[in-house]
């Protein structure tokens, strides 16, 4: 089955760190660009970060630049998001999303993992 | 960085209504504009890409149009399954920004 499964969410104190993972299966992960998108409770979607298929090109939203690090392990079919210096405003469901080939944007999403930053 | 603004934020409609949602870009952009549908507790689902191309499996009552800075999503005859929140997304630039969303609820 073609799917993305996120893990690693949880409760963390402000200033703390957390590492999210996204396990890909059922498709050639190494040939796809990947993204992280988040959604604060009751709010809209916010694009967080992008990584190219080979990992050589990376982008971040201004809101997380310098605090979050995206990475991937193509041998393990996994995507990661290292989140440091977490703030209350980082509280959200974090989704990994596959950039489709060709003209289509994000065609495959995981179910999301909830990160709560609170003391 | 291209910012996306959707209107309205909330839309109340009845089954069978024609519904139009607008997405405005902060600067003129190419046709790399997509629309997603999201239901509570679920991941977004791609409906329209490249402004007007219908994603496989999406009903033909959904359509997209626009150019420059103004884009629209139209549902020709609203069905019970269509009550959800809709987001536009630009993928013209590296920051794949979303609009703030339009919730379509039952009138």
């Amino acid at each position: 089955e073609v799917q993305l499964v996120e893990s690693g969410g949880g409760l963390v104190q402000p200033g703390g760190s957390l590492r999210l993972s996204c396990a890909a299966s059922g498709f050639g992960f190494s040939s796809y660009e990947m993204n992280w998108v988040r959604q604060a409770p009751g709010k809209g979607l916010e694009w967080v970060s992008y990584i190219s298929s080979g990992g050589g090109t990376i982008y971040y939203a201004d809101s997380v630049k310098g605090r979050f690090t995206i990475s991937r392990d193509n041998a393990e079919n996994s995507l990661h998001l290292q989140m440091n210096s977490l703030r209350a405003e980082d509280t959200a469901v974090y989704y990994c999303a596959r950039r489709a080939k060709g003209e289509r944007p994000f065609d495959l999403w995981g179910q999301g993992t909830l990160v709560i930053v609170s003391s | 960085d291209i910012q996306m603004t959707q209107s309205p934020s909330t839309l109340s409609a009845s089954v069978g209504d024609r519904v139009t949602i607008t997405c405005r870009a902060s600067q003129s952009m190419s046709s790399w504009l997509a629309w997603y549908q999201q239901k509570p507790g679920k991941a977004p689902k791609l409906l329209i890409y490249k402004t007007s191309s219908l994603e496989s499996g999406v009903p033909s009552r959904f359509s997209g149009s626009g150019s420059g800075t103004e884009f629209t999503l139209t549902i020709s005859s609203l069905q019970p399954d269509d009550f959800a929140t809709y987001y536009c997304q630009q993928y013209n630039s590296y920051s794949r920004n979303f609009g703030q969303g339009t919730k379509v609820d039952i009138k």
Side-chain angles (χ1 to χ4, degrees), chain A residues 39 95 103-106 110, chain B residues 36 38 50 55 87 89 91:
Chain A
Q39 186 169 37
Y95 296 99
E103 298 177 337
R104 294 151 68 235
F106 301 176
Chain B
Y36 297 84
Q38 188 182 34
K50 206 182 178 188
E55 174 71 345
Y87 295 92
Q89 180 200 29
Y91 52 115

Side-chain angles (χ1 to χ4, degrees), chain B residues 11-31:
Chain B
L11 189 160
S12 296
S14 302
V15 172
D17 283 353
R18 181 180 181 88
V19 166
T20 298
I21 299 168
T22 299
C23 182
R24 289 186 173 85
S26 59
Q27 60 187 266
S28 184
M29 52 179 275
S30 63
S31 58

Side-chain angles (χ1 to χ4, degrees), chain B:
Chain B
D1 203 16
I2 301 176
Q3 304 301 318
M4 311 304 292
T5 303
Q6 279 181 243
S7 60
S9 298
T10 305
L11 189 160
S12 296
S14 302
V15 172
D17 283 353
R18 181 180 181 88
V19 166
T20 298
I21 299 168
T22 299
C23 182
R24 289 186 173 85
S26 59
Q27 60 187 266
S28 184
M29 52 179 275
S30 63
S31 58
W32 303 113
L33 189 286
W35 291 95
Y36 297 84
Q37 177 192 69
Q38 188 182 34
K39 296 184 177 180
K42 300 293 187 182
K45 172 188 173 185
L46 179 63
L47 299 176
I48 301 284
Y49 63 94
K50 206 182 178 188
T51 298
S52 60
S53 296
L54 194 66
E55 174 71 345
S56 177
V58 173
S60 59
R61 61 181 180 273
F62 291 92
S63 64
S65 63
S67 64
T69 61
E70 188 159 323
F71 300 86
T72 60
L73 172 71
T74 299
I75 309 173
S76 60
S77 177
L78 198 66
Q79 298 303 300
D81 191 48
D82 301 338
F83 291 98
T85 300
Y86 295 84
Y87 295 92
C88 63
Q89 180 200 29
Q90 67 82 15
Y91 52 115
N92 182 83
S93 68
Y94 78 90
S95 61
R96 277 80 160 128
N97 291 333
F98 294 88
Q100 79 276 20
T102 296
K103 183 178 181 181
V104 177
D105 62 19
I106 301 172
K107 184 185 255 184

